[in-house]
Amino acid sequence: MQIKVEVEGKSMFDNKSNRYMTRAIAEELHPEIALILWKLIDSKNKLKVELDYLQIFELTVSNGKQAIVHRQEVPEIQSFLIMPLTDAEPINSKVWCIDSGVESEGQMMLFPNDY
């Protein structure tokens, strides 16, 4: 596990107040799944894991549950979990979350083809 390196007291995905999503995410990704993805980022941040500006989520269906591979490239980290969903149907998709590094611009959740 990498320890988070902070620059001027800030690190990637610290600011939760400016989180956005593309129109495609808003229309196609169930809010329950979107919330789970943001919470996965927040939990790593809370554990002081150094987060890359790009968080990648690969979503697959596994025995009726949502399987999630959460990874980043720098530093290279990957985790895997399977969770039951309460209101949503599990999906097969890839989702990115990007932190611009500029507090006023915030963070964006999008499908790779939205980029």
Side-chain angles (χ1 to χ4, degrees):
M1 178 183 288
Q2 298 284 329
I3 300 299
K4 182 187 335 184
V5 177
E6 296 189 8
V7 179
E8 299 177 18
K10 301 286 181 189
S11 60
M12 290 296 162
F13 294 95
D14 262 354
N15 181 8
K16 299 180 201 175
S17 62
N18 292 331
R19 288 187 166 168
Y20 306 97
M21 62 181 63
T22 62
R23 180 180 303 255
I25 288 284
E27 292 174 354
E28 299 172 31
L29 187 67
H30 194 282
E32 179 181 10
I33 297 172
L35 187 58
I36 288 169
L37 302 184
W38 285 125
K39 285 183 177 183
L40 288 172
I41 292 171
D42 294 341
S43 67
K44 287 194 176 186
N45 216 349
K46 189 174 183 178
L47 292 171
K48 305 229 182 278
V49 174
E50 181 181 352
L51 295 177
D52 191 10
Y53 78 99
L54 174 62
Q55 299 296 302
I56 302 164
F57 296 95
E58 296 167 358
L59 309 172
T60 56
V61 179
S62 177
N63 295 322
K65 297 180 182 176
Q66 187 65 70
I68 304 170
V69 174
H70 177 191
R71 65 183 176 87
Q72 66 179 36
E73 294 181 354
V74 180
E76 189 173 330
I77 300 173
Q78 180 169 302
S79 57
F80 176 78
L81 67 136
I82 297 177
M83 21 191 351
L85 299 172
T86 306
D87 299 319
E89 291 295 320
I91 61 169
N92 294 304
S93 189
K94 186 181 276 193
V95 176
W96 290 353
C97 291
I98 298 175
D99 187 328
S100 67
V102 178
E103 191 169 332
S104 62
E105 291 180 13
Q107 302 151 19
M108 177 68 69
M109 182 179 286
L110 63 154
F111 292 118
N113 61 348
D114 291 335
Y115 189 69

